[in-house]
């Protein structure tokens, strides 16, 4: 398929907790499909923003609209991180979804990166939303170990500054009492962070999509998944999902402070979904 001219626009969802989005779409034709992108969280979101934008433009040049969402309280969206909750974020996604299918009925694909992949799968099952394909970039499999890793960033920073000792259990207890905690320049609140503990790709009750493309980083190009990912993929297959584990090589962008790209990730995405 030849590349086509595209339009890039931006706006806000119209619900009570607005979210900012950027949309790349074919310029003079109805899209053959819609893609909704759910981003990583905190600094991982910033590290992956450039490559997500590049992939969105590639989707648009191949005839699909692609909407890049900043959840309420994150990125360029109104509100603070402490305002965020999973129901608010799910509502942001529903507002985007409804607007797209009302404007131009077409198959809908979801695309999530890191925590955004886990939230996409959880949203699709909880809200029983029709989804043709779910594309996952280096997905977080379960929210609790992910949140624990986030809290450990705070523990390391406290140790480096000679601050008082804390534990991840103590942080969770503080969040449960309504306190907030600052981690890496982000102030996080209990309603969101404690809800993440309950998200787990290995226990979702129903298929999130007809097809899942699970793209996971491999240092040497091997196709073996890590044990946690393998368990999640096995669970998805058991739910009847056509599941495609795919390895990519290159830079682990979500971990890097300096801006980088990852041609292998873009190439593998194009080979699977385009």
């Amino acid at each position: 398929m030849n590349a086509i001219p595209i339009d890039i626009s931006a706006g806000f969802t119209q619900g009570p907790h607005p979210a900012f989005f950027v949309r790349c779409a074919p310029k003079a034709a109805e899209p053959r499909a819609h893609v909704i992108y759910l981003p990583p969280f905190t600094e991982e979101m910033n590290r992956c923003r450039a490559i997500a934008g590049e992939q969105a433009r590639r989707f648009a040049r191949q005839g699909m609209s692609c909407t890049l969402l900043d959840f309420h309280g994150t990125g360029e969206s109104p509100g603070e991180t402490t305002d965020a909750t999973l129901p608010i974020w799910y509502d942001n996604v529903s507002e985007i979804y409804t607007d797209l299918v009302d404007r131009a009925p077409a198959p809908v694909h979801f695309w999530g990166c890191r925590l955004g992949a886990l939230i996409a799968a959880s949203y699709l099952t909880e809200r029983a939303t029709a989804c043709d394909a779910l594309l996952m970039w280096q997905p977080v499999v379960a929210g609790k170990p992910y949140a624990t890793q986030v809290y450990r960033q705070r523990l390391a920073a406290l140790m480096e500054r000679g601050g008082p000792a804390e534990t991840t259990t103590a942080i969770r207890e503080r969040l449960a009492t309504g306190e907030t905690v600052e981690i890496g320049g982000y102030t996080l609140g209990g309603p969101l962070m404690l809800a993440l503990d309950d998200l787990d790709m290995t226990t979702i009750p129903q298929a999130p999509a007809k097809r899942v493309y699970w793209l996971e980083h491999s240092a040497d190009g091997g196709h073996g998944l890590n044990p946690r990912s393998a368990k999640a993929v096995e669970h998805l297959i058991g739910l009847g999902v056509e599941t495609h584990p795919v390895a990519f090589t290159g830079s682990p962008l979500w971990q890097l402070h300096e801006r980088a790209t990852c041609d292998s990730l873009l190439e593998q995405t194009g080979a699977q979904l385009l």
Side-chain angles (χ1 to χ4, degrees):
M1 182 182 294
N2 294 325
I4 59 177
I6 66 173
D7 273 332
I8 301 176
S9 59
F12 293 88
T13 60
Q14 298 301 306
H17 302 96
F20 176 77
F21 65 86
V22 172
R23 181 166 296 148
C24 303
K27 190 168 188 176
E30 293 295 316
R32 62 184 177 90
H34 301 294
V35 181
I36 300 174
Y37 171 73
L38 306 188
F41 190 43
T42 61
E43 199 56 34
E44 289 187 353
M45 180 185 191
N46 296 326
R47 294 168 183 166
C48 296
R49 193 178 288 278
I51 195 171
E54 171 58 27
Q55 182 60 63
R57 292 187 292 273
R58 291 188 180 206
F59 282 141
R61 287 194 290 266
Q62 295 295 327
M64 295 185 279
S65 82
C66 184
T67 302
L68 304 168
L69 177 65
D70 285 2
F71 291 118
H72 180 78
T74 71
E76 301 302 318
S77 290
E80 302 296 332
T81 311
T82 49
D83 299 330
T85 67
L86 276 182
I88 287 174
W89 285 4
Y90 289 169
D91 287 346
N92 292 159
V93 180
S94 291
E95 289 153 10
I96 292 289
Y97 185 100
T98 300
D99 178 66
L100 287 172
V101 297
D102 285 349
R103 286 171 179 261
V108 178
H109 308 314
F110 275 71
W111 163 31
C113 181
R114 299 289 294 140
L115 183 62
L118 176 58
I119 290 174
S122 301
Y123 166 83
L124 288 166
T125 54
E126 180 163 319
R127 297 288 175 99
T129 303
C131 176
D132 189 69
L134 172 56
L135 169 67
M136 297 183 174
W137 278 8
Q138 197 67 23
V140 170
V141 174
K144 190 167 187 177
Y146 169 81
T148 296
Q149 289 297 321
V150 172
Y151 302 148
R152 285 175 179 161
Q153 296 175 30
R154 175 178 170 84
L155 305 186
L158 288 172
M159 289 181 61
E160 187 175 328
R161 298 197 303 265
E166 279 189 332
T167 65
T168 58
T169 299
I171 291 173
R172 282 188 165 91
E173 290 172 349
R174 288 177 57 192
L175 290 169
T177 63
E179 292 187 51
T180 61
V181 295
E182 184 173 335
I183 302 176
Y186 297 87
T187 303
L188 307 179
L192 174 65
M193 297 306 298
L194 297 177
L196 294 182
D197 284 353
D198 296 329
L199 303 186
D200 192 327
M201 205 94 70
T202 67
T203 59
I204 56 175
Q206 62 193 55
K210 297 176 184 176
R211 296 171 287 135
V212 167
Y213 299 94
W214 188 293
L215 275 64
E216 185 161 295
H217 185 260
S218 171
D220 60 3
H223 289 275
L225 297 172
N226 72 57
R228 194 173 284 166
S229 297
K231 184 178 179 181
V233 167
E234 182 180 1
H235 179 66
L236 290 170
I237 292 172
L239 293 173
V241 179
E242 180 186 323
T243 308
H244 303 267
V246 180
F248 68 93
T249 58
S251 301
L253 302 171
W254 58 97
Q255 297 177 351
L256 303 179
H257 294 288
E258 67 274 12
R259 181 169 174 172
T261 190
C262 184
D263 291 339
S264 174
L265 180 55
L266 295 170
E267 290 164 4
Q268 290 292 358
T269 299
Q272 301 303 318
L273 200 56
L274 292 180

